[in-house]
Amino acid sequence: MKAPFAFLAPARILGSCLLLVLAFPLLLAAAAPAVVPPRLMEKLGRGIIAMRESGGSVYVSWRLLGTDPEKVAFNLYRIAGPGTTPAKLNPQPIADVTFFVDATPDFTKANAYFVRAVLDGQEQEPSKYFVLPANAPARNYLAIPLQVPKGGVTPTGENYTYSANDCSVGDLDGDGEYEMIVKWDPSNSKDNSQTGFTGNVYLDAYKLDGRRLWRIDLGRNIRAGAHYTQFMVYDLDGDGKAEVACRTSDGTIDGLGKVIGSPVADYRTHGGKSEGFILTGPEYLTIFNGLTGAAMASVPYIPARGNFEAWGDNYGNRVDRFLACVAYLDGQRPSLVMCRGYYTRTALTAWNWRDGKLTKVWAFDVPDNTPYAGQGNHGISVADVDGSGKDVIIYGSMCVNSDGSPRYSAQLHHGDAMHVSDLDPNRPGLEIFDIHEHTDGRIGVDFRDANTGKVIWSKNATDVGRGSAFDIDPRYPGYEMWAAGDGLSENGIWDVHGKQISAKRPKSVNFGVWWDGDLLRELLDKNYIDKWDWIAEEEKRIFTAEGCESNNSSKATPCLSGDILGDWREEVVWRTTDSKELRIYSTTIPTKYRIYTLMHDRQYRLAMAWQNVAYNQPPHPGFFLGDGMKAPPRPNIVTSLAELKK
C-alpha cells in the first residue's frame, strides 16, 4: 500500500507546502470574525433617582454604564440639609446591584443623594446630586410641570384644546442627563384617512425639574395626527448634545421665534373629501438645535409628494404616511433616515448631520408593483442583523441595507406591530415577530429570521391588528408571543417554535416593561402594569398610575417607556388627565440583577428614538434579556468623537 501522497513528486510537495505557508495567514483571516469598530454613543451620567416609600425609607437607584469596568462598585452618600457633611450609607462598596434602600432619612430636611464609583479600592468623582425635598411625599415618580398650549378654532369654527402626547428623550445640554421632548396633540388631530382641519402641532423641551427650554410651532401646514410628525431626538453630529429633526413647512416657528419660509402661506385644502389635507406647498426636513430650538438647517423633504395618487389613493391619505429612525449606517456614527409611504410606493432617504452640514447619503425609492412596495408597517425597527456593526432598516415585511440597497422582501405586506430582538436565544442571530392585515386567510402572524427574512413559522388569519412578544413565562426558553385579530388559525400564546403553550393569552396586546425584580417582562397597557401569572393563566395588577391617562386613543400607549433613569429597569412616562404634568414613574421593587443601562445597547437606544413613530411600539435590546439569560455582551462603544478617532 502506498504511503499518503507518495505519488507526488518531491518538488510538487515542496511547492504545495510553500503555498500553504503563504496562504495560512489568509485562511486565518477568512476564518476569524470581522473586527467591528466601536460605535459613538452618549456620555451618560449615573441617572440617580431617590423616591420616598410609604414605609418611611428612601429607594435610591442609579445607572451602571456600558463603559464601566466589570468590577466597578459604588458608595452611596446622603447630605441631610445644606452645609452638612456627606454620610456614606453603605458599610461596604455595593458591587452586585445598583440600588440601595435608605432606612434612616430625616424627612424634615432636604436630602441630597449621590454615588461614587469605586475602582480598585479608589473612589471616583461624585455623580450629580438628586435632591429629595424636605417633607417630600411618598411616591414613585418625578413630576415635570408642563405649559399647556392655548387652544384654538379651526376655519370651520371647531374649537380644540391640547394634551401632551408622544415624548422622547435626549441630552440636549451635554450634562450627561436626559431632557424630555414633548409633542402636543390638538383634540381634533386626525388619522390620515379622516377629513377635517386640525390645530397646530407643538414640540416642547423640558429639563426634568420642569424648566422649559423652548417651544417649536410646526404651523398650519403640518397636519396633526399619529402619521404626520415623526420627530427624532439624537446626537447626530457627536458634539455631546442631541438635536431634534422632523418634517416642517412654511410657517413653522422655531424655538427662537424665527419663521421657516412664508409666515402667511396656507396650503390646507378647503372643502371636499380632502378638506384639511395638505397636498401642495413645500415640505422641509429641518434640524433644530436641541438646547435652543433654533432651526440650524432646512432642506427639501425627500421624497416629495409628486403625484400623490402614486402613493395608493386619489384623495391624499397614503401620500402622508411617514416613518423615521436613526441608524448607524457606517457602523460608527448615527445617520437620520426619513421615510414616506408603505402601502404602495415606498421611499427612505438617509442623511448625515455633521460639521454643520446636512448631507444626503442615499435614497431608496420603489414604485408600486415591485417586491419591495407595499410592505411597510405603521412602525419601523433598526438592528445589526448580521454582526457587521452596520444597521439595516426593518421596514415591516422588507429590509433595506445600510448602503440603501434592498436586502430582502418577505412579501407579507402591511402590519401594525413588530418586535425585533434575540427572541430565541438558542438560535443564532435576531428574529422578528410581525403581524399583518388584509391577508385573506394567508399569513397573519409570522416569526422570521431578521437577517434573511426567511419565515420560520407562521399562523394564518384574515386580519391581525395587534401582536406582542415578551418573555412572560419562565418555563419556556425565549420570548412568548400572542396576537389579537380576526380569523386566526390558532390563538393563545406561542413559544419560539410556534407551539401553542396556552390556549389563553393576556388581554393586553400592547407594551411591555421590565418593572419588578425578575427578568421577565411585565405588561404595560393604558395607565397600569400587569404581571402574567403563567400558572393561573391570567394577569395580576401590580401597579396603577392614578390620575394619569394613556395616549393615542385605542392604542393606549404611554408618552414614553424605557430605561430613562436609575438601574436597568424601565420607567414609564404618563401625562396627568389635565396634561399639566408629566410623571416619570420608576420602580421601587428590589432586584438581584445588575445590568448596564439599556440605553448603552445600541439597538435599544435607537428603539427609544423611533418609539414615537406612528403606532408606538416598545423597545427591545439587541440581546436576549429574559429568564435564564447569559450575561449581556459588553457594548463596543465610545462616548466622544475624540475616542472614536483614536
Side-chain angles (χ1 to χ4, degrees):
M1 183 177 179
K2 292 183 179 180
F5 311 115
F7 59 91
L8 291 175
R12 294 181 65 189
I13 295 173
L14 181 61
S16 298
C17 291
L18 182 60
L19 286 172
L20 284 171
V21 169
L22 292 174
F24 189 65
L26 297 176
L27 292 171
L28 280 179
V35 177
V36 176
R39 298 92 169 173
L40 177 62
M41 296 196 63
E42 296 161 311
K43 186 174 183 179
L44 294 174
R46 293 294 170 191
I48 189 168
I49 182 174
M51 295 167 288
R52 180 176 178 176
E53 299 186 279
S54 57
S57 58
V58 174
Y59 187 94
V60 188
S61 176
W62 59 92
R63 292 186 187 115
L64 178 71
L65 301 174
T67 53
D68 280 330
E70 188 174 340
K71 294 184 178 180
V72 69
F74 297 93
N75 287 331
L76 175 66
Y77 291 86
R78 179 188 65 212
I79 302 175
T84 59
T85 303
K88 189 171 75 167
L89 300 181
N90 51 293
Q92 299 294 328
I94 303 166
D96 54 346
V97 293
T98 51
F99 75 89
F100 187 86
V101 178
D102 178 10
T104 59
D106 180 355
F107 290 117
T108 65
K109 302 175 181 178
N111 291 283
Y113 293 89
F114 66 93
V115 292
R116 287 179 180 266
V118 181
L119 291 172
D120 299 323
Q122 299 297 312
E123 284 194 331
Q124 308 301 303
E125 291 296 311
S127 71
K128 291 183 179 296
Y129 292 7
F130 182 93
V131 179
L132 196 64
N135 302 309
R139 65 190 193 191
N140 66 328
Y141 65 85
L142 295 183
I144 303 176
L146 299 177
Q147 299 177 34
V148 184
K150 290 182 62 176
V153 183
T154 68
T156 54
E158 178 189 11
N159 293 298
Y160 58 88
T161 57
Y162 282 92
S163 60
N165 194 256
D166 295 338
C167 293
S168 191
V169 290
D171 181 3
L172 303 181
D173 56 10
D175 67 351
E177 304 300 337
Y178 286 127
E179 281 72 51
M180 190 70 64
I181 297 83
V182 183
K183 183 179 82 167
W184 289 98
D185 217 29
S187 54
N188 59 356
S189 66
K190 305 291 185 185
D191 183 82
N192 294 51
S193 62
Q194 297 172 343
T195 299
F197 295 97
T198 74
N200 292 10
V201 176
Y202 298 95
L203 296 174
D204 282 2
Y206 293 89
K207 297 285 289 182
L208 296 189
D209 62 8
R211 180 163 58 95
R212 195 180 81 182
L213 299 178
W214 45 258
R215 169 168 289 169
I216 295 168
D217 177 358
L218 293 182
R220 66 171 67 90
N221 295 311
I222 297 292
R223 205 166 185 240
H227 303 288
Y228 294 102
T229 298
Q230 325 301 351
F231 61 102
M232 293 293 102
V233 182
Y234 211 85
D235 181 6
L236 296 168
D237 60 3
D239 68 351
K241 300 177 182 180
E243 290 78 39
V244 178
C246 67
R247 188 177 62 100
T248 60
S249 186
D250 284 355
T252 293
I253 305 173
D254 75 4
L256 298 182
K258 182 180 178 180
V259 179
I260 295 173
S262 167
V264 296
D266 186 346
Y267 303 117
R268 295 173 294 180
T269 302
H270 291 255
K273 185 178 181 180
S274 300
E275 182 170 76
F277 288 28
I278 300 157
L279 303 176
T280 60
E283 300 172 287
Y284 312 114
L285 167 61
T286 299
I287 305 291
F288 295 95
N289 185 290
L291 184 59
T292 67
M296 297 188 291
S298 292
V299 297
Y301 192 92
I302 301 174
R305 299 182 190 93
N307 174 15
F308 65 79
E309 293 185 1
W311 301 92
D313 60 53
N314 63 3
Y315 68 104
N317 167 8
R318 295 182 172 186
V319 66
D320 275 356
R321 302 280 180 158
F322 298 96
L323 300 175
C325 63
V326 174
Y328 287 74
L329 301 176
D330 65 5
Q332 292 192 279
R333 298 181 64 178
S335 299
L336 179 68
V337 182
M338 305 300 288
C339 317
R340 185 178 220 134
Y342 40 75
Y343 289 115
T344 49
R345 181 182 171 192
T346 301
L348 299 79
T349 307
W351 302 86
N352 282 343
W353 171 250
R354 297 175 187 176
D355 302 318
K357 296 180 180 179
L358 186 58
T359 307
K360 188 177 78 170
V361 181
W362 50 253
F364 173 96
D365 194 345
V366 295
D368 198 6
N369 300 317
T370 69
Y372 287 84
Q375 303 298 317
N377 278 14
H378 291 308
I380 201 168
S381 193
V382 179
D384 175 6
V385 298
D386 59 6
S388 67
K390 298 180 180 181
D391 289 325
V392 303
I393 316 301
I394 303 170
Y395 205 82
S397 294
M398 65 98 164
C399 186
V400 178
N401 281 318
S402 60
D403 62 0
S405 63
R407 188 179 189 89
Y408 62 76
S409 175
Q411 303 252 346
L412 297 171
H413 303 287
H414 169 70
D416 283 3
M418 178 174 61
H419 302 262
V420 183
S421 186
D422 189 3
L423 307 180
D424 181 356
N426 295 322
R427 182 183 179 279
L430 306 180
E431 295 82 28
I432 299 171
F433 178 70
D434 201 1
I435 61 170
H436 309 281
E437 293 182 346
H438 312 300
T439 60
D440 301 323
R442 294 171 288 160
I443 291 177
V445 166
D446 81 281
F447 184 85
R448 64 183 186 268
D449 185 292
N451 184 29
T452 66
K454 180 181 178 181
V455 175
I456 301 167
W457 58 263
S458 63
K459 309 292 178 182
N460 289 348
T462 52
D463 190 345
V464 178
R466 289 197 172 199
S468 289
F470 310 114
D471 187 12
I472 61 172
D473 191 332
R475 298 173 297 181
Y476 304 92
Y479 279 39
E480 286 73 47
M481 287 145 278
W482 60 101
D486 298 330
L488 271 165
S489 58
E490 179 182 82
N491 216 320
I493 301 175
W494 307 292
D495 68 5
V496 293
H497 305 293
K499 177 185 176 183
Q500 186 192 63
I501 61 174
S502 172
K504 296 182 179 179
R505 63 162 177 82
K507 300 183 194 72
S508 172
V509 195
N510 202 351
F511 265 56
V513 57
W514 281 291
W515 185 260
D516 66 7
D518 63 27
L519 296 173
L520 300 175
R521 216 163 185 186
E522 284 64 61
L523 305 175
L524 168 58
D525 201 0
K526 299 178 182 176
N527 68 331
Y528 54 78
I529 298 171
D530 286 344
K531 182 80 171 176
W532 177 249
D533 183 335
W534 59 88
I535 302 299
E537 297 183 316
E538 62 185 18
E539 293 111 322
K540 299 290 179 66
R541 186 67 38 87
I542 61 173
F543 179 72
T544 301
E546 300 290 351
C548 292
E549 288 188 7
S550 57
N551 287 331
N552 303 314
S553 187
S554 64
K555 299 298 180 283
T557 51
C559 296
L560 187 69
S561 180
D563 183 13
I564 300 167
L565 295 165
D567 68 19
W568 60 275
R569 289 168 301 169
E570 295 173 301
E571 282 65 48
V572 185
V573 183
W574 280 290
R575 62 180 173 93
T576 54
T577 302
D578 58 8
S579 280
K580 292 183 178 179
E581 191 173 271
L582 276 186
R583 294 180 179 175
I584 306 176
Y585 284 87
S586 190
T587 184
T588 58
I589 302 172
T591 180
K592 64 181 182 180
Y593 300 100
R594 186 174 96 152
I595 300 173
Y596 62 80
T597 175
L598 299 182
M599 293 297 239
H600 270 168
D601 176 77
R602 182 180 63 174
Q603 181 176 323
Y604 186 95
R605 181 62 185 93
L606 296 177
M608 289 295 290
W610 57 246
Q611 188 180 133
N612 67 71
V613 169
Y615 293 169
N616 304 10
Q617 295 294 301
H620 295 288
F623 59 89
F624 173 68
L625 201 170
D627 189 75
M629 67 180 287
K630 299 177 182 177
R634 286 192 63 80
N636 181 19
I637 63 173
V638 294
T639 57
S640 72
L641 274 175
E643 291 177 277
L644 192 70
K645 293 175 181 178
K646 285 182 180 178

PDB file of all heavy atoms in Angstrom, residues 597-614:
ATOM      1  N   THR A 597     -26.983  50.067  31.827  1.00  0.00           N
ATOM      2  CA  THR A 597     -28.143  50.774  31.296  1.00  0.00           C
ATOM      3  C   THR A 597     -28.460  50.313  29.877  1.00  0.00           C
ATOM      4  O   THR A 597     -27.569  50.217  29.018  1.00  0.00           O
ATOM      5  CB  THR A 597     -27.929  52.299  31.312  1.00  0.00           C
ATOM      6  OG1 THR A 597     -29.042  52.928  30.669  1.00  0.00           O
ATOM      7  CG2 THR A 597     -26.662  52.716  30.589  1.00  0.00           C
ATOM      8  N   LEU A 598     -29.708  50.040  29.639  1.00  0.00           N
ATOM      9  CA  LEU A 598     -30.108  49.582  28.314  1.00  0.00           C
ATOM     10  C   LEU A 598     -29.895  50.665  27.259  1.00  0.00           C
ATOM     11  O   LEU A 598     -29.821  50.365  26.066  1.00  0.00           O
ATOM     12  CB  LEU A 598     -31.567  49.135  28.338  1.00  0.00           C
ATOM     13  CG  LEU A 598     -31.872  47.966  29.290  1.00  0.00           C
ATOM     14  CD1 LEU A 598     -33.334  47.569  29.199  1.00  0.00           C
ATOM     15  CD2 LEU A 598     -30.971  46.774  29.013  1.00  0.00           C
ATOM     16  N   MET A 599     -29.756  51.915  27.686  1.00  0.00           N
ATOM     17  CA  MET A 599     -29.503  52.996  26.740  1.00  0.00           C
ATOM     18  C   MET A 599     -28.085  52.939  26.165  1.00  0.00           C
ATOM     19  O   MET A 599     -27.770  53.683  25.236  1.00  0.00           O
ATOM     20  CB  MET A 599     -29.746  54.349  27.404  1.00  0.00           C
ATOM     21  CG  MET A 599     -31.206  54.582  27.762  1.00  0.00           C
ATOM     22  SD  MET A 599     -32.267  54.608  26.309  1.00  0.00           S
ATOM     23  CE  MET A 599     -32.990  56.234  26.445  1.00  0.00           C
ATOM     24  N   HIS A 600     -27.242  52.067  26.693  1.00  0.00           N
ATOM     25  CA  HIS A 600     -25.933  51.846  26.079  1.00  0.00           C
ATOM     26  C   HIS A 600     -25.911  50.598  25.213  1.00  0.00           C
ATOM     27  O   HIS A 600     -24.849  50.213  24.703  1.00  0.00           O
ATOM     28  CB  HIS A 600     -24.828  51.807  27.143  1.00  0.00           C
ATOM     29  CG  HIS A 600     -24.242  53.151  27.422  1.00  0.00           C
ATOM     30  ND1 HIS A 600     -23.416  53.421  28.482  1.00  0.00           N
ATOM     31  CD2 HIS A 600     -24.370  54.338  26.752  1.00  0.00           C
ATOM     32  CE1 HIS A 600     -23.054  54.688  28.466  1.00  0.00           C
ATOM     33  NE2 HIS A 600     -23.629  55.265  27.422  1.00  0.00           N
ATOM     34  N   ASP A 601     -27.068  49.961  25.049  1.00  0.00           N
ATOM     35  CA  ASP A 601     -27.232  48.955  24.000  1.00  0.00           C
ATOM     36  C   ASP A 601     -27.759  49.691  22.775  1.00  0.00           C
ATOM     37  O   ASP A 601     -28.811  50.331  22.823  1.00  0.00           O
ATOM     38  CB  ASP A 601     -28.224  47.869  24.422  1.00  0.00           C
ATOM     39  CG  ASP A 601     -28.484  46.873  23.302  1.00  0.00           C
ATOM     40  OD1 ASP A 601     -27.636  46.007  23.073  1.00  0.00           O
ATOM     41  OD2 ASP A 601     -29.539  47.000  22.651  1.00  0.00           O
ATOM     42  N   ARG A 602     -27.025  49.604  21.683  1.00  0.00           N
ATOM     43  CA  ARG A 602     -27.344  50.451  20.537  1.00  0.00           C
ATOM     44  C   ARG A 602     -28.749  50.212  20.002  1.00  0.00           C
ATOM     45  O   ARG A 602     -29.498  51.160  19.727  1.00  0.00           O
ATOM     46  CB  ARG A 602     -26.320  50.230  19.421  1.00  0.00           C
ATOM     47  CG  ARG A 602     -26.554  51.119  18.216  1.00  0.00           C
ATOM     48  CD  ARG A 602     -25.518  50.882  17.137  1.00  0.00           C
ATOM     49  NE  ARG A 602     -25.573  49.526  16.618  1.00  0.00           N
ATOM     50  CZ  ARG A 602     -24.829  49.116  15.587  1.00  0.00           C
ATOM     51  NH1 ARG A 602     -23.984  49.940  15.013  1.00  0.00           N
ATOM     52  NH2 ARG A 602     -24.925  47.875  15.160  1.00  0.00           N
ATOM     53  N   GLN A 603     -29.150  48.961  19.849  1.00  0.00           N
ATOM     54  CA  GLN A 603     -30.474  48.701  19.280  1.00  0.00           C
ATOM     55  C   GLN A 603     -31.569  49.267  20.174  1.00  0.00           C
ATOM     56  O   GLN A 603     -32.544  49.850  19.689  1.00  0.00           O
ATOM     57  CB  GLN A 603     -30.680  47.198  19.063  1.00  0.00           C
ATOM     58  CG  GLN A 603     -32.043  46.881  18.436  1.00  0.00           C
ATOM     59  CD  GLN A 603     -32.236  45.410  18.114  1.00  0.00           C
ATOM     60  OE1 GLN A 603     -31.308  44.730  17.698  1.00  0.00           O
ATOM     61  NE2 GLN A 603     -33.437  44.915  18.313  1.00  0.00           N
ATOM     62  N   TYR A 604     -31.410  49.104  21.482  1.00  0.00           N
ATOM     63  CA  TYR A 604     -32.411  49.624  22.418  1.00  0.00           C
ATOM     64  C   TYR A 604     -32.468  51.150  22.352  1.00  0.00           C
ATOM     65  O   TYR A 604     -33.552  51.742  22.329  1.00  0.00           O
ATOM     66  CB  TYR A 604     -32.074  49.156  23.827  1.00  0.00           C
ATOM     67  CG  TYR A 604     -33.111  49.506  24.870  1.00  0.00           C
ATOM     68  CD1 TYR A 604     -34.092  48.585  25.223  1.00  0.00           C
ATOM     69  CD2 TYR A 604     -33.105  50.740  25.503  1.00  0.00           C
ATOM     70  CE1 TYR A 604     -35.048  48.895  26.184  1.00  0.00           C
ATOM     71  CE2 TYR A 604     -34.055  51.060  26.461  1.00  0.00           C
ATOM     72  CZ  TYR A 604     -35.026  50.130  26.797  1.00  0.00           C
ATOM     73  OH  TYR A 604     -35.975  50.452  27.747  1.00  0.00           O
ATOM     74  N   ARG A 605     -31.283  51.787  22.325  1.00  0.00           N
ATOM     75  CA  ARG A 605     -31.262  53.258  22.287  1.00  0.00           C
ATOM     76  C   ARG A 605     -31.919  53.779  21.021  1.00  0.00           C
ATOM     77  O   ARG A 605     -32.658  54.776  21.052  1.00  0.00           O
ATOM     78  CB  ARG A 605     -29.815  53.765  22.377  1.00  0.00           C
ATOM     79  CG  ARG A 605     -29.697  55.299  22.366  1.00  0.00           C
ATOM     80  CD  ARG A 605     -30.396  55.897  23.556  1.00  0.00           C
ATOM     81  NE  ARG A 605     -30.428  57.360  23.532  1.00  0.00           N
ATOM     82  CZ  ARG A 605     -31.417  58.083  23.025  1.00  0.00           C
ATOM     83  NH1 ARG A 605     -32.454  57.486  22.430  1.00  0.00           N
ATOM     84  NH2 ARG A 605     -31.392  59.408  23.098  1.00  0.00           N
ATOM     85  N   LEU A 606     -31.677  53.125  19.891  1.00  0.00           N
ATOM     86  CA  LEU A 606     -32.309  53.553  18.650  1.00  0.00           C
ATOM     87  C   LEU A 606     -33.813  53.320  18.685  1.00  0.00           C
ATOM     88  O   LEU A 606     -34.589  54.092  18.115  1.00  0.00           O
ATOM     89  CB  LEU A 606     -31.676  52.826  17.464  1.00  0.00           C
ATOM     90  CG  LEU A 606     -30.194  53.127  17.213  1.00  0.00           C
ATOM     91  CD1 LEU A 606     -29.663  52.280  16.063  1.00  0.00           C
ATOM     92  CD2 LEU A 606     -29.966  54.615  16.941  1.00  0.00           C
ATOM     93  N   ALA A 607     -34.233  52.254  19.368  1.00  0.00           N
ATOM     94  CA  ALA A 607     -35.667  51.994  19.514  1.00  0.00           C
ATOM     95  C   ALA A 607     -36.338  53.077  20.349  1.00  0.00           C
ATOM     96  O   ALA A 607     -37.499  53.434  20.105  1.00  0.00           O
ATOM     97  CB  ALA A 607     -35.895  50.626  20.139  1.00  0.00           C
ATOM     98  N   MET A 608     -35.623  53.615  21.333  1.00  0.00           N
ATOM     99  CA  MET A 608     -36.183  54.723  22.099  1.00  0.00           C
ATOM    100  C   MET A 608     -36.369  55.951  21.216  1.00  0.00           C
ATOM    101  O   MET A 608     -37.305  56.734  21.406  1.00  0.00           O
ATOM    102  CB  MET A 608     -35.271  55.046  23.277  1.00  0.00           C
ATOM    103  CG  MET A 608     -35.294  53.990  24.374  1.00  0.00           C
ATOM    104  SD  MET A 608     -36.892  53.845  25.196  1.00  0.00           S
ATOM    105  CE  MET A 608     -36.943  55.396  26.101  1.00  0.00           C
ATOM    106  N   ALA A 609     -35.488  56.124  20.236  1.00  0.00           N
ATOM    107  CA  ALA A 609     -35.619  57.262  19.320  1.00  0.00           C
ATOM    108  C   ALA A 609     -36.820  57.099  18.402  1.00  0.00           C
ATOM    109  O   ALA A 609     -37.518  58.073  18.110  1.00  0.00           O
ATOM    110  CB  ALA A 609     -34.333  57.430  18.507  1.00  0.00           C
ATOM    111  N   TRP A 610     -37.063  55.857  17.904  1.00  0.00           N
ATOM    112  CA  TRP A 610     -38.209  55.685  16.983  1.00  0.00           C
ATOM    113  C   TRP A 610     -39.509  55.319  17.691  1.00  0.00           C
ATOM    114  O   TRP A 610     -40.540  55.123  17.030  1.00  0.00           O
ATOM    115  CB  TRP A 610     -37.910  54.684  15.876  1.00  0.00           C
ATOM    116  CG  TRP A 610     -37.500  53.277  16.212  1.00  0.00           C
ATOM    117  CD1 TRP A 610     -36.281  52.697  15.965  1.00  0.00           C
ATOM    118  CD2 TRP A 610     -38.291  52.236  16.821  1.00  0.00           C
ATOM    119  NE1 TRP A 610     -36.275  51.374  16.380  1.00  0.00           N
ATOM    120  CE2 TRP A 610     -37.495  51.076  16.909  1.00  0.00           C
ATOM    121  CE3 TRP A 610     -39.602  52.170  17.309  1.00  0.00           C
ATOM    122  CZ2 TRP A 610     -37.945  49.867  17.457  1.00  0.00           C
ATOM    123  CZ3 TRP A 610     -40.065  50.981  17.861  1.00  0.00           C
ATOM    124  CH2 TRP A 610     -39.242  49.852  17.928  1.00  0.00           C
ATOM    125  N   GLN A 611     -39.516  55.252  19.018  1.00  0.00           N
ATOM    126  CA  GLN A 611     -40.737  54.836  19.714  1.00  0.00           C
ATOM    127  C   GLN A 611     -41.927  55.739  19.414  1.00  0.00           C
ATOM    128  O   GLN A 611     -43.070  55.281  19.374  1.00  0.00           O
ATOM    129  CB  GLN A 611     -40.505  54.790  21.229  1.00  0.00           C
ATOM    130  CG  GLN A 611     -41.658  54.182  21.992  1.00  0.00           C
ATOM    131  CD  GLN A 611     -41.438  54.122  23.497  1.00  0.00           C
ATOM    132  OE1 GLN A 611     -42.302  54.482  24.289  1.00  0.00           O
ATOM    133  NE2 GLN A 611     -40.260  53.658  23.917  1.00  0.00           N
ATOM    134  N   ASN A 612     -41.693  57.028  19.170  1.00  0.00           N
ATOM    135  CA  ASN A 612     -42.813  57.953  18.921  1.00  0.00           C
ATOM    136  C   ASN A 612     -43.384  57.846  17.517  1.00  0.00           C
ATOM    137  O   ASN A 612     -44.349  58.529  17.190  1.00  0.00           O
ATOM    138  CB  ASN A 612     -42.364  59.392  19.197  1.00  0.00           C
ATOM    139  CG  ASN A 612     -41.327  59.899  18.209  1.00  0.00           C
ATOM    140  OD1 ASN A 612     -41.613  60.149  17.038  1.00  0.00           O
ATOM    141  ND2 ASN A 612     -40.094  60.071  18.669  1.00  0.00           N
ATOM    142  N   VAL A 613     -42.816  56.982  16.678  1.00  0.00           N
ATOM    143  CA  VAL A 613     -43.215  56.918  15.268  1.00  0.00           C
ATOM    144  C   VAL A 613     -44.532  56.157  15.105  1.00  0.00           C
ATOM    145  O   VAL A 613     -44.670  55.024  15.563  1.00  0.00           O
ATOM    146  CB  VAL A 613     -42.097  56.249  14.441  1.00  0.00           C
ATOM    147  CG1 VAL A 613     -42.568  55.930  13.039  1.00  0.00           C
ATOM    148  CG2 VAL A 613     -40.870  57.148  14.407  1.00  0.00           C
ATOM    149  N   ALA A 614     -45.499  56.795  14.438  1.00  0.00           N
ATOM    150  CA  ALA A 614     -46.769  56.155  14.034  1.00  0.00           C
ATOM    151  C   ALA A 614     -47.438  55.437  15.208  1.00  0.00           C
ATOM    152  O   ALA A 614     -47.758  56.061  16.208  1.00  0.00           O
ATOM    153  CB  ALA A 614     -46.538  55.231  12.849  1.00  0.00           C
TER     154      ALA A 614
END
